[in-house]
């Protein structure tokens, strides 16, 4: 039923809990013959890993990925690619006080009711640790569709927002600061805001914008396999995501058709791009761009009242090492999932015309 | 590869073009033993069909669905349910002037480039006529999960928005006006706005809010089959949709964790519901609610410059019968897709625990 | 869950009961740009249809297929191809005496127990009438992979068997007799045997051999998508099939490795072909050949004792118009399913190498 | 596309090459709440592993499976179950002489042509080492459907065949000899025959019969998800398998309907069981039994002429440690795949009736 599988022709199937021995996955459908750049993969892993700056969790994980199959002498063979990431820093005792506690706005309650039995340590399967697997697969996908450029960045933290259109930003600056915002001035404000929030033991939400450039015309499939619907499903799979919009998005609902239509140039490009690079679920060659909403992290370093599995009121306080804002570490995750979607449609598009 | 299939255990596969002889579909995985209420199905069809009021297209379609299999003596048999809806009002000549024209912000260009050959009549496969199939399947799904209540309504048209929280609305009023807005005063403003826009030959966007109530705890599956991710994919499959948010959505990104967390009551319900009834991809028993963004209809009854397949600039003007605002007719479509998602997870949840 | 869907990239989803208004299907993933030969499709339908000779059922069905979508101006568009075949000769009253009776070696009992409710008329969904849908899809698949030649023929009826290897047969003679056996002398024996069996009100089984020639090297996918495993699953989906073997099959189990290995010629062809054209699940360019076992038809024009749904012993006798031997009409069905498998792998193979 | 995935609701996805660091898999859809018997799993692994007797390969592998997720405190959690089996005995140098050689009746040629690049060591992904993964998953499946009894045994080696019907055999004797044949006298002949063949450096084929007992009525789904079609596909996925038949199989094709029909007893059981426990693709509660054909192992300890990738004739001789007959070690593999199929349908059947 594919609960733990993403993608069609190119698919990723995953396993792993926050505090188990390891997490990992299997990539199926990856074409044979690609020389893999392993450093580029580890570099993506490093962008996601904890402990990389003062505004993310201080937890340390090496997040070294080991490939077990499907790559021979550095080149993909067409066989399924198995990989594993060992969990090296599992402090299960950090969570022992939480065994029966349902943390507010976490999945403890729903998992317990659904399954009747759960791994409570660090959220178990619901932990965002899982997304390390996605970054591995996404890094491979990026290499498969190397001509397509996928760039995500932090576009807002709380009320602090980039005001410029993405066209005015320099994506080469994304990695130049800890919040991954290419507008340096706004980045500083965001970082300061997160530091302030962290001092309160509180957390804050934000948004990530992703821009996909140099996309061939024709990727995406009607009717239930539309390019933007898969991008949306991919983003909504990421922990803490509450919304997705592409092109004009929710703002577009306030416009008239005469303002919203993208007039064509003679060469098939369009003068404006409120469509966001997709028409009828299929890429039109213009930039694809979308925005993803992340809620504030639910784990607070504050006292909260909640209930336990016996239905009793208990007091709890986050004691582990947690992110005050999920957004900076989510940037490579957004890119990874976007790359997986694009690579899948790239392969599928090879079969749609005789 | 399931381009034209939606759903897993309960699935809908569809066919049909705007101006072909018929559209239709096959519903697979529908459990045996349900007595079908055919009037209820036709009633949903009538909510979607064209020509029902002065603010939607004047085109007339009977939209009568004929079931061909899977139901014997009024009761489902477990066999696949085939159905067909004949196209009775195909004025292909309305579109003959458009043979080579790429209408702005339509899928003409992308389909032509992707497939090299397309049915240009009324948008062919890209026409929203397809959604009539979805309403059939959704109406069946509603009967399967009769205890779960799915209500959608128009929450904004252009800048005109319902200000009340959904809890203060009376859903029984949704069908009491042409725009399907349960706030009568706002509904009147919306209707007047659409009439004004229509006079200009222009169109306008809007949003639909959907509320799903009386949901059992435990529907939805980790990791890539989360309840909200499937709802999002379902909504993003609907023509003209540009965005999806659930629970606190994009607004939630501006909040602190201490404001956003939903504190538990002793019985497992929560005092607030910014989560939108879903934690970790699984329903928690609270109301599920989400919002869907629809862009303004691309077909204008105004002159527009565009290009044709030869790369020449041409002038065009919509001459068919078109909706000035897609939202009122999209309300039953949103409900249908939501019901399909919920029914699928309802079945799947029967298998997740020994 | 795809109970009623066959195929991956190229898929067929079907509906329909023996005595409903119509049967039909939806073909998804068929590439755009193929000019369809409709006469060739009807010609395949005629090979399967009842009433074509004295050794098959006398029931008459026009079996005219109507395409409803996905083909525009005679050329495929990439959209899903919906089709319908109206049931014109439903004599439901033939079956009214069978309402509660569980016919021996039919699916009446299992369907009743599984679903609690069934369409008893002519077997309902379990009727081989369904296979008319497969022949439509298979005929389209044949046109997609026109270079690959798929030929099936009757290789045995009861104890009467073709003794020659398939290489000594002239496939152009398959359609020259009613049993579809290219060895004319054996064909006459088979036909006479069926006539004798029919006079007794009895039935007889048989085998069909299928040979697929001119296959490109590389079709088929490891590990669970092997070419022969899909061919096997396809054949085992056909009503009355009890076995499948390819290449040396069951006989090969009695051989030594030194006898069984196919030695290579310098050009990569092999001197023998006990492998049956497939190595490791992937075609090697040699002929693919396999054999399919069909049991004798369960409906006899003889008195049989059986039980009804109340658990009472009842006497019954087939009264409808039935085939004394399913094999001659199954030949085009075997070809159709084989063509669907080959076309699916042909498309998939476009994506396995960069 | 699921090349490396088997199953629907309950699925297994695998990776791994013969001479990589490890093989492994991910089991998805396994219900929460089952207490796992790890010894029983290892016991199944030991039945399959090399080096267990004098009639199988002398290669030694511990074949210890390590579970990495989805099981917490010994009980399944509903999360995906990741597992790994380290390759401890990879003598890659055994294969270095084979780098460019296409071994006869192996997949070297087809893989090379299909993918353009392959792991030649020990067959790489095509090695039967992969089946160790299947035995892990099958052992878990057996525990899920503990009431259903799955027993496979060697029914023939070369020309030496069990003559008794399976009902006259004592399945508790299957493990009492090295060939896994419950007829002790025949077992001795088989073992002697394999020893003789081995001395010649040759190999021999055989058949395995599998009997599934205590099956609930109603497992299996029409039309393309029939119980026997999935069992067939499962068996045809096993390395070296050339055929599958169930119930009366190929013999049934020679019978008349009046001989072949299984008459009902009053309680719904049948007096005979030529149907093999399945009617219309759905289990009828009688024993399911089927037979699987295995070709002789292609690797001979004899000189053979073959070609290399340059198209030159070369002489080769198997030098690794190989099985003279695959059948004894394939018995637990057949059971594992059968158990996976049955468990999948067991889960699916929970959703087919309201």
């Amino acid at each position: 039923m594919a609960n733990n599988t993403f993608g069609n022709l190119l698919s990723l199937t995953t396993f792993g809990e926050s505090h188990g021995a390891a997490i990992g996955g299997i990539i199926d459908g990856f074409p044979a013959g690609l020389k893999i750049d392993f450093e580029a993969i580890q570099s993506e892993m490093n962008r996601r890993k904890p402990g990389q700056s003062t505004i993310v969790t201080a937890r340390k994980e090496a997040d070294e990925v080991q490939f077990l199959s499907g790559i021979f002498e550095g080149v993909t063979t067409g066989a399924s690619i198995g990989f594993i990431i060992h969990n090296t820093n599992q402090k299960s005792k950090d969570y022992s006080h939480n065994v029966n506690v349902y943390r507010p706005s976490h999945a403890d309650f729903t998992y317990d009711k659904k399954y009747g039995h759960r791994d409570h340590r660090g959220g178990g399967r619901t932990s965002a640790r899982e997304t390390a697997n996605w970054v591995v697969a996404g890094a491979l996908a990026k290499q498969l569709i190397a001509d397509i450029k996928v760039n995500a960045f932090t576009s807002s933290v709380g009320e602090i927002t980039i005001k410029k259109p993405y066209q005015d930003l320099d994506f080469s600056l994304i990695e130049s600061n800890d919040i991954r915002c290419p507008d340096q001035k706004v980045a500083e404000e965001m970082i300061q805001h997160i530091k302030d929030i962290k001092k309160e033991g509180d957390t804050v939400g934000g948004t990530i914008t992703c821009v996909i450039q140099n996309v061939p015309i024709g990727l995406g499939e009607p009717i239930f396999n539309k390019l933007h619907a898969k991008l949306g499903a991919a983003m909504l799979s990421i922990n803490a995501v509450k919304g997705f919009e592409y092109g004009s998005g929710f703002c577009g609902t306030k416009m008239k058709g005469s303002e919203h239509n993208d007039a064509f140039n003679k060469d098939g490009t369009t003068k404006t791009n409120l469509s966001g690079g997709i028409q009828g679920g299929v890429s039109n060659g213009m930039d694809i761009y979308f925005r993803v909403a992340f809620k504030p992290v639910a784990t607070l370093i504050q006292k909260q009242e909640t209930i336990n599995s016996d239905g009793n009121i208990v007091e709890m306080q986050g004691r582990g090492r947690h992110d005050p804002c999920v957004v900076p570490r989510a940037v490579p995750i957004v890119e990874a999932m976007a790359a997986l979607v694009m690579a899948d449609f790239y392969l599928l598009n090879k079969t749609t015309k005789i």
Side-chain angles (χ1 to χ4, degrees), chain A residues 201-203 297-304 316-319 322:
Chain A
D202 214 332
T203 62
V297 174
T299 301
L300 312 179
I301 313 301
Q302 295 180 347
K303 282 202 177 112
Q304 296 181 82
M316 62 159 285
Q317 175 166 348
R319 272 190 274 178
H322 299 285

Side-chain angles (χ1 to χ4, degrees), chain A residues 50-61:
Chain A
Q52 61 183 276
S53 80
T54 58
I55 60 168
V56 304
T57 172
R59 197 171 59 248
K60 290 277 180 193
E61 279 284 359

